[in-house]
Amino acid sequence: MFAAWGRFVHRYRWPILVLAALSLLPSAWLVARGGRFDNNPLPRGTESRRALDLITRELPRRPASFGLILSSASLDAGAPAFREAVERALAPLRSDPRVVRLRTPWDGETPSAQSVSRDGRRVLVTVELRGGAAAAVALGAGENGEYADLRARVHSDALAVLPVGDLALNHDFTETARRAIGRAERVIWPVVPLLLV
């Protein structure tokens, strides 16, 4: 049986080689196109997923959120110029329907000491998002790309902007894994046809 198969492959080697190469085209298209990397660590049916569903159902819902640390090397957080720069940087988020609320140090009558660094050069702003429970997002189950889009809208010429929180961490992990897998695919892709031949 194997001898017959070997003779058949040897007799029609070029058509078989062409067919083998054509069968790789869909794979090449998928590798070039890429896809959405799913970092959801909680598959349905597991105890962890049931616990997360229970938390979401039974406990008070806190909105998903991420933080932004805005800092300046020359301006003090109490200076009007610093506050104006913060407001300019956050302006795109204030009009975005996906954002429920922005919590800044200036929400009350006086700047909140908890949201200003000891040296007075940095402030923490919390961006609360519409929909999605904080517990779900913290475990990677509720992020749908909103964070990356919203973070890209915040920029300033006068201030440095540093994202913090579970959403930022999950996004960075996902992007790092996606780039690493992409590099591995680019290295493996030329080798696989040689191994198959």
Side-chain angles (χ1 to χ4, degrees), residues 67-113:
L68 295 170
I69 297 175
L70 295 102
S71 59
S72 170
S74 57
L75 293 173
D76 188 83
F82 188 98
R83 183 172 179 177
E84 287 169 14
V86 170
E87 293 299 331
R88 278 196 308 276
L90 298 176
L93 298 185
R94 291 199 183 278
S95 58
D96 196 297
R98 295 170 293 183
V99 176
V100 176
R101 180 170 69 156
L102 292 173
R103 300 172 74 183
T104 70
W106 304 282
D107 286 343
E109 294 291 323
T110 57
S112 170

Side-chain angles (χ1 to χ4, degrees), residues 32-132:
R33 179 177 168 266
R36 184 175 182 275
F37 187 79
D38 184 11
N39 73 330
N40 185 357
L42 302 175
R44 297 201 177 280
T46 62
E47 288 186 23
S48 300
R49 183 58 185 244
R50 287 196 297 274
L52 176 61
D53 291 341
L54 186 63
I55 289 170
T56 305
R57 214 173 36 248
E58 299 292 332
L59 295 179
R61 287 176 65 91
R62 289 187 303 115
S65 64
F66 64 93
L68 295 170
I69 297 175
L70 295 102
S71 59
S72 170
S74 57
L75 293 173
D76 188 83
F82 188 98
R83 183 172 179 177
E84 287 169 14
V86 170
E87 293 299 331
R88 278 196 308 276
L90 298 176
L93 298 185
R94 291 199 183 278
S95 58
D96 196 297
R98 295 170 293 183
V99 176
V100 176
R101 180 170 69 156
L102 292 173
R103 300 172 74 183
T104 70
W106 304 282
D107 286 343
E109 294 291 323
T110 57
S112 170
Q114 293 179 339
S115 300
V116 179
S117 65
R118 288 185 186 141
D119 64 0
R121 305 252 183 219
R122 297 171 184 81
V123 297
L124 173 65
V125 174
T126 304
V127 182
E128 294 181 357
L129 306 180
R130 191 175 307 282

Side-chain angles (χ1 to χ4, degrees), residues 2 18 51 64 74 85 92 95 107-108 111 118 124 135 145 161 170-171 175 192:
F2 288 116
V18 169
S74 57
S95 58
D107 286 343
R118 288 185 186 141
L124 173 65
V161 182
N170 284 338
H171 176 265
E175 285 302 301
V192 168

Side-chain angles (χ1 to χ4, degrees), residues 66 93 96 98 143 145-154 171:
F66 64 93
L93 298 185
D96 196 297
R98 295 170 293 183
E143 215 281 301
E146 288 181 348
Y147 163 77
D149 184 45
L150 292 171
R151 169 62 189 94
R153 293 170 183 251
V154 180
H171 176 265

